[in-house]
Short mmCIF file of all heavy atoms in Angstrom, two decimals:
data_model
loop_
_atom_site.label_atom_id
_atom_site.label_comp_id
_atom_site.label_asym_id
_atom_site.label_seq_id
_atom_site.Cartn_x
_atom_site.Cartn_y
_atom_site.Cartn_z
N LEU A 20 1.21 22.90 -15.88
CA LEU A 20 1.49 24.33 -15.88
C LEU A 20 2.77 24.65 -16.64
O LEU A 20 2.90 25.73 -17.23
CB LEU A 20 1.61 24.83 -14.44
CG LEU A 20 0.34 24.76 -13.59
CD1 LEU A 20 0.63 25.16 -12.15
CD2 LEU A 20 -0.75 25.66 -14.17
N GLY A 21 3.69 23.70 -16.66
CA GLY A 21 4.94 23.92 -17.37
C GLY A 21 4.76 24.15 -18.85
O GLY A 21 5.58 24.84 -19.48
N CYS A 22 3.69 23.62 -19.43
CA CYS A 22 3.42 23.83 -20.85
C CYS A 22 3.27 25.32 -21.16
O CYS A 22 3.80 25.81 -22.16
CB CYS A 22 2.15 23.09 -21.27
SG CYS A 22 2.31 21.29 -21.29
N PHE A 23 2.57 26.03 -20.30
CA PHE A 23 2.38 27.47 -20.52
C PHE A 23 3.67 28.24 -20.30
O PHE A 23 3.93 29.24 -20.99
CB PHE A 23 1.27 28.00 -19.60
CG PHE A 23 -0.08 27.44 -19.92
CD1 PHE A 23 -0.58 26.35 -19.23
CD2 PHE A 23 -0.86 27.99 -20.92
CE1 PHE A 23 -1.82 25.82 -19.52
CE2 PHE A 23 -2.10 27.47 -21.23
CZ PHE A 23 -2.59 26.38 -20.53
N LEU A 24 4.51 27.78 -19.36
CA LEU A 24 5.80 28.42 -19.16
C LEU A 24 6.70 28.21 -20.37
O LEU A 24 7.40 29.14 -20.80
CB LEU A 24 6.47 27.87 -17.90
CG LEU A 24 5.76 28.13 -16.57
CD1 LEU A 24 6.52 27.46 -15.42
CD2 LEU A 24 5.61 29.62 -16.30
N ILE A 25 6.68 27.01 -20.93
CA ILE A 25 7.49 26.71 -22.11
C ILE A 25 7.05 27.56 -23.29
O ILE A 25 7.87 28.16 -24.00
CB ILE A 25 7.39 25.21 -22.47
CG1 ILE A 25 8.11 24.35 -21.42
CG2 ILE A 25 7.97 24.95 -23.87
CD1 ILE A 25 9.61 24.45 -21.45
N LEU A 26 5.75 27.63 -23.53
CA LEU A 26 5.23 28.38 -24.67
C LEU A 26 5.52 29.87 -24.55
O LEU A 26 5.73 30.56 -25.55
CB LEU A 26 3.73 28.15 -24.81
CG LEU A 26 3.31 26.75 -25.25
CD1 LEU A 26 1.81 26.60 -25.19
CD2 LEU A 26 3.83 26.45 -26.65
N ARG A 27 5.54 30.37 -23.32
CA ARG A 27 5.82 31.80 -23.10
C ARG A 27 7.31 32.07 -22.91
O ARG A 27 7.70 33.18 -22.58
CB ARG A 27 5.03 32.29 -21.88
CG ARG A 27 3.53 32.14 -22.05
CD ARG A 27 2.76 32.62 -20.85
NE ARG A 27 2.89 34.07 -20.69
CZ ARG A 27 2.20 34.77 -19.79
NH1 ARG A 27 1.35 34.15 -18.98
NH2 ARG A 27 2.36 36.07 -19.70
N ARG A 28 8.13 31.02 -23.10
CA ARG A 28 9.57 31.13 -22.96
C ARG A 28 9.95 31.65 -21.58
O ARG A 28 10.80 32.53 -21.42
CB ARG A 28 10.17 32.02 -24.06
CG ARG A 28 9.92 31.48 -25.46
CD ARG A 28 10.49 32.37 -26.54
NE ARG A 28 10.20 31.81 -27.86
CZ ARG A 28 10.57 32.38 -29.01
NH1 ARG A 28 11.24 33.53 -28.98
NH2 ARG A 28 10.27 31.83 -30.16
N MET A 29 9.28 31.08 -20.59
CA MET A 29 9.48 31.50 -19.21
C MET A 29 9.83 30.31 -18.32
O MET A 29 9.53 30.32 -17.14
CB MET A 29 8.20 32.18 -18.68
CG MET A 29 7.83 33.46 -19.41
SD MET A 29 6.18 34.04 -18.96
CE MET A 29 6.41 34.29 -17.21
N ALA A 30 10.43 29.29 -18.90
CA ALA A 30 10.73 28.09 -18.13
C ALA A 30 11.61 28.40 -16.92
O ALA A 30 11.41 27.86 -15.83
CB ALA A 30 11.40 27.04 -19.02
N MET A 31 12.58 29.29 -17.10
CA MET A 31 13.48 29.62 -16.00
C MET A 31 12.80 30.46 -14.93
O MET A 31 13.27 30.53 -13.80
CB MET A 31 14.73 30.33 -16.53
CG MET A 31 15.61 29.45 -17.39
SD MET A 31 15.98 27.85 -16.61
CE MET A 31 16.90 28.37 -15.18
N LEU A 32 11.69 31.12 -15.28
CA LEU A 32 10.94 31.84 -14.26
C LEU A 32 10.29 30.85 -13.30
O LEU A 32 10.16 31.12 -12.10
CB LEU A 32 9.89 32.73 -14.90
CG LEU A 32 9.17 33.71 -13.96
CD1 LEU A 32 10.19 34.58 -13.23
CD2 LEU A 32 8.19 34.58 -14.74
N GLY A 33 9.87 29.69 -13.82
CA GLY A 33 9.39 28.63 -12.93
C GLY A 33 10.49 28.17 -11.99
O GLY A 33 10.24 27.90 -10.81
N ASP A 34 11.71 28.08 -12.51
CA ASP A 34 12.87 27.75 -11.68
C ASP A 34 13.04 28.80 -10.59
O ASP A 34 13.25 28.48 -9.41
CB ASP A 34 14.11 27.69 -12.57
CG ASP A 34 15.37 27.31 -11.81
OD1 ASP A 34 15.26 27.00 -10.61
OD2 ASP A 34 16.45 27.31 -12.42
N ALA A 35 12.93 30.07 -10.97
CA ALA A 35 13.09 31.16 -10.01
C ALA A 35 12.04 31.09 -8.92
O ALA A 35 12.35 31.22 -7.73
CB ALA A 35 13.01 32.51 -10.73
N ILE A 36 10.80 30.87 -9.30
CA ILE A 36 9.72 30.82 -8.31
C ILE A 36 9.92 29.64 -7.37
O ILE A 36 9.74 29.76 -6.15
CB ILE A 36 8.35 30.74 -9.01
CG1 ILE A 36 8.04 32.06 -9.71
CG2 ILE A 36 7.24 30.40 -8.00
CD1 ILE A 36 6.77 32.03 -10.51
N SER A 37 10.28 28.49 -7.92
CA SER A 37 10.42 27.29 -7.09
C SER A 37 11.50 27.45 -6.03
O SER A 37 11.43 26.81 -4.98
CB SER A 37 10.71 26.07 -7.98
OG SER A 37 11.97 26.21 -8.60
N HIS A 38 12.52 28.27 -6.31
CA HIS A 38 13.55 28.53 -5.31
C HIS A 38 13.20 29.72 -4.43
O HIS A 38 13.46 29.71 -3.22
CB HIS A 38 14.90 28.79 -5.99
CG HIS A 38 15.55 27.56 -6.52
ND1 HIS A 38 15.15 26.94 -7.68
CD2 HIS A 38 16.59 26.82 -6.04
CE1 HIS A 38 15.91 25.89 -7.90
NE2 HIS A 38 16.78 25.78 -6.93
N ALA A 39 12.63 30.76 -5.04
CA ALA A 39 12.40 32.01 -4.30
C ALA A 39 11.32 31.89 -3.24
O ALA A 39 11.27 32.71 -2.32
CB ALA A 39 12.04 33.12 -5.29
N ILE A 40 10.43 30.90 -3.37
CA ILE A 40 9.35 30.77 -2.39
C ILE A 40 9.83 30.24 -1.04
O ILE A 40 9.06 30.23 -0.07
CB ILE A 40 8.21 29.87 -2.90
CG1 ILE A 40 8.72 28.45 -3.14
CG2 ILE A 40 7.56 30.46 -4.14
CD1 ILE A 40 7.62 27.47 -3.46
N LEU A 41 11.09 29.83 -0.96
CA LEU A 41 11.60 29.28 0.30
C LEU A 41 11.41 30.22 1.48
O LEU A 41 10.94 29.78 2.54
CB LEU A 41 13.07 28.87 0.14
CG LEU A 41 13.76 28.33 1.38
CD1 LEU A 41 13.03 27.12 1.93
CD2 LEU A 41 15.21 27.98 1.07
N PRO A 42 11.77 31.51 1.37
CA PRO A 42 11.52 32.38 2.54
C PRO A 42 10.05 32.49 2.89
O PRO A 42 9.70 32.64 4.07
CB PRO A 42 12.10 33.73 2.10
CG PRO A 42 12.22 33.66 0.63
CD PRO A 42 12.48 32.22 0.31
N GLY A 43 9.17 32.41 1.90
CA GLY A 43 7.74 32.45 2.19
C GLY A 43 7.29 31.26 3.01
O GLY A 43 6.48 31.38 3.94
N ILE A 44 7.85 30.08 2.70
CA ILE A 44 7.51 28.87 3.45
C ILE A 44 8.03 28.97 4.88
O ILE A 44 7.31 28.65 5.84
CB ILE A 44 8.10 27.64 2.74
CG1 ILE A 44 7.41 27.43 1.39
CG2 ILE A 44 7.95 26.39 3.60
CD1 ILE A 44 8.01 26.31 0.58
N VAL A 45 9.27 29.43 5.03
CA VAL A 45 9.84 29.54 6.36
C VAL A 45 9.07 30.55 7.20
O VAL A 45 8.76 30.30 8.38
CB VAL A 45 11.33 29.93 6.28
CG1 VAL A 45 11.92 30.08 7.67
CG2 VAL A 45 12.12 28.88 5.50
N LEU A 46 8.75 31.70 6.62
CA LEU A 46 8.00 32.71 7.36
C LEU A 46 6.61 32.20 7.73
O LEU A 46 6.08 32.51 8.81
CB LEU A 46 7.89 33.99 6.53
CG LEU A 46 9.21 34.76 6.34
CD1 LEU A 46 9.01 35.92 5.38
CD2 LEU A 46 9.73 35.26 7.68
N ALA A 47 6.00 31.41 6.84
CA ALA A 47 4.70 30.83 7.15
C ALA A 47 4.80 29.88 8.34
O ALA A 47 3.92 29.85 9.22
CB ALA A 47 4.15 30.10 5.92
N PHE A 48 5.90 29.11 8.40
CA PHE A 48 6.15 28.24 9.55
C PHE A 48 6.26 29.06 10.83
O PHE A 48 5.65 28.74 11.86
CB PHE A 48 7.46 27.47 9.36
CG PHE A 48 7.30 26.10 8.76
CD1 PHE A 48 7.82 25.83 7.50
CD2 PHE A 48 6.65 25.09 9.43
CE1 PHE A 48 7.70 24.59 6.93
CE2 PHE A 48 6.52 23.83 8.87
CZ PHE A 48 7.04 23.57 7.62
N LEU A 49 7.03 30.13 10.75
CA LEU A 49 7.29 30.92 11.95
C LEU A 49 6.05 31.63 12.46
O LEU A 49 5.82 31.72 13.67
CB LEU A 49 8.40 31.94 11.66
CG LEU A 49 9.78 31.35 11.32
CD1 LEU A 49 10.76 32.46 10.99
CD2 LEU A 49 10.31 30.51 12.47
N PHE A 50 5.23 32.14 11.56
CA PHE A 50 4.03 32.87 11.97
C PHE A 50 2.91 31.94 12.42
O PHE A 50 2.18 32.24 13.37
CB PHE A 50 3.53 33.77 10.83
CG PHE A 50 4.29 35.05 10.70
CD1 PHE A 50 5.16 35.25 9.64
CD2 PHE A 50 4.16 36.06 11.65
CE1 PHE A 50 5.87 36.43 9.51
CE2 PHE A 50 4.87 37.25 11.53
CZ PHE A 50 5.73 37.43 10.46
N SER A 51 2.76 30.79 11.74
CA SER A 51 1.66 29.89 12.07
C SER A 51 2.05 28.88 13.14
O SER A 51 1.19 28.38 13.88
CB SER A 51 1.19 29.14 10.82
OG SER A 51 2.21 28.27 10.34
N GLY A 52 3.35 28.55 13.22
CA GLY A 52 3.80 27.56 14.20
C GLY A 52 3.36 26.15 13.88
O GLY A 52 3.36 25.28 14.75
N SER A 53 2.98 25.89 12.62
CA SER A 53 2.52 24.55 12.23
C SER A 53 2.96 24.26 10.81
O SER A 53 3.45 25.13 10.08
CB SER A 53 0.99 24.46 12.33
OG SER A 53 0.38 25.23 11.31
N ARG A 54 2.78 23.00 10.42
CA ARG A 54 3.12 22.57 9.07
C ARG A 54 1.87 22.39 8.21
O ARG A 54 1.89 21.66 7.23
CB ARG A 54 3.90 21.26 9.13
CG ARG A 54 5.22 21.33 9.87
CD ARG A 54 5.83 19.96 10.04
NE ARG A 54 6.01 19.31 8.76
CZ ARG A 54 6.15 18.00 8.59
NH1 ARG A 54 6.09 17.21 9.64
NH2 ARG A 54 6.31 17.49 7.39
N GLU A 55 0.79 23.05 8.57
CA GLU A 55 -0.44 22.95 7.77
C GLU A 55 -0.21 23.53 6.39
O GLU A 55 0.53 24.49 6.19
CB GLU A 55 -1.59 23.69 8.47
CG GLU A 55 -2.00 23.06 9.79
CD GLU A 55 -2.51 21.63 9.62
OE1 GLU A 55 -3.17 21.37 8.59
OE2 GLU A 55 -2.23 20.80 10.49
N ILE A 56 -0.89 22.94 5.41
CA ILE A 56 -0.65 23.30 4.01
C ILE A 56 -1.14 24.70 3.68
O ILE A 56 -0.54 25.39 2.86
CB ILE A 56 -1.31 22.25 3.08
CG1 ILE A 56 -0.85 22.44 1.62
CG2 ILE A 56 -2.83 22.32 3.18
CD1 ILE A 56 0.58 22.13 1.39
N LEU A 57 -2.23 25.17 4.32
CA LEU A 57 -2.81 26.46 3.96
C LEU A 57 -1.87 27.64 4.20
O LEU A 57 -1.66 28.46 3.29
CB LEU A 57 -4.14 26.67 4.70
CG LEU A 57 -4.91 27.95 4.34
CD1 LEU A 57 -5.22 27.98 2.85
CD2 LEU A 57 -6.19 28.05 5.16
N PRO A 58 -1.27 27.78 5.41
CA PRO A 58 -0.34 28.90 5.58
C PRO A 58 0.88 28.81 4.67
O PRO A 58 1.39 29.83 4.20
CB PRO A 58 0.06 28.81 7.06
CG PRO A 58 -0.29 27.43 7.50
CD PRO A 58 -1.47 27.04 6.67
N MET A 59 1.35 27.59 4.38
CA MET A 59 2.48 27.44 3.47
C MET A 59 2.11 27.90 2.07
O MET A 59 2.89 28.56 1.38
CB MET A 59 2.96 25.99 3.45
CG MET A 59 3.71 25.57 4.70
SD MET A 59 4.62 24.02 4.46
CE MET A 59 3.27 22.88 4.18
N LEU A 60 0.89 27.54 1.62
CA LEU A 60 0.45 27.96 0.30
C LEU A 60 0.33 29.48 0.23
O LEU A 60 0.72 30.09 -0.78
CB LEU A 60 -0.90 27.32 -0.02
CG LEU A 60 -0.91 25.82 -0.32
CD1 LEU A 60 -2.33 25.31 -0.50
CD2 LEU A 60 -0.09 25.52 -1.56
N MET A 61 -0.19 30.08 1.28
CA MET A 61 -0.34 31.54 1.28
C MET A 61 1.03 32.22 1.25
O MET A 61 1.25 33.17 0.49
CB MET A 61 -1.13 31.97 2.52
CG MET A 61 -2.58 31.54 2.53
SD MET A 61 -3.44 31.96 4.07
CE MET A 61 -3.29 33.75 4.03
N GLY A 62 1.96 31.75 2.08
CA GLY A 62 3.30 32.32 2.09
C GLY A 62 4.00 32.17 0.75
O GLY A 62 4.64 33.11 0.25
N ALA A 63 3.87 30.99 0.14
CA ALA A 63 4.51 30.74 -1.15
C ALA A 63 3.90 31.60 -2.25
O ALA A 63 4.62 32.14 -3.10
CB ALA A 63 4.37 29.27 -1.52
N ALA A 64 2.56 31.72 -2.25
CA ALA A 64 1.89 32.52 -3.27
C ALA A 64 2.32 33.98 -3.20
O ALA A 64 2.59 34.62 -4.23
CB ALA A 64 0.38 32.40 -3.12
#
Side-chain angles (χ1 to χ4, degrees):
L20 295 175
C22 290
F23 294 96
L24 297 177
I25 290 289
L26 291 173
R27 300 180 67 173
R28 299 180 181 179
M29 297 169 60
M31 293 310 296
L32 189 55
D34 182 5
I36 291 175
S37 66
H38 285 76
I40 62 172
L41 178 57
I44 293 175
V45 178
L46 291 173
F48 266 114
L49 296 177
F50 280 108
S51 66
S53 70
R54 299 172 57 200
E55 294 299 324
I56 191 68
L57 184 58
M59 287 195 296
L60 289 175
M61 293 175 61

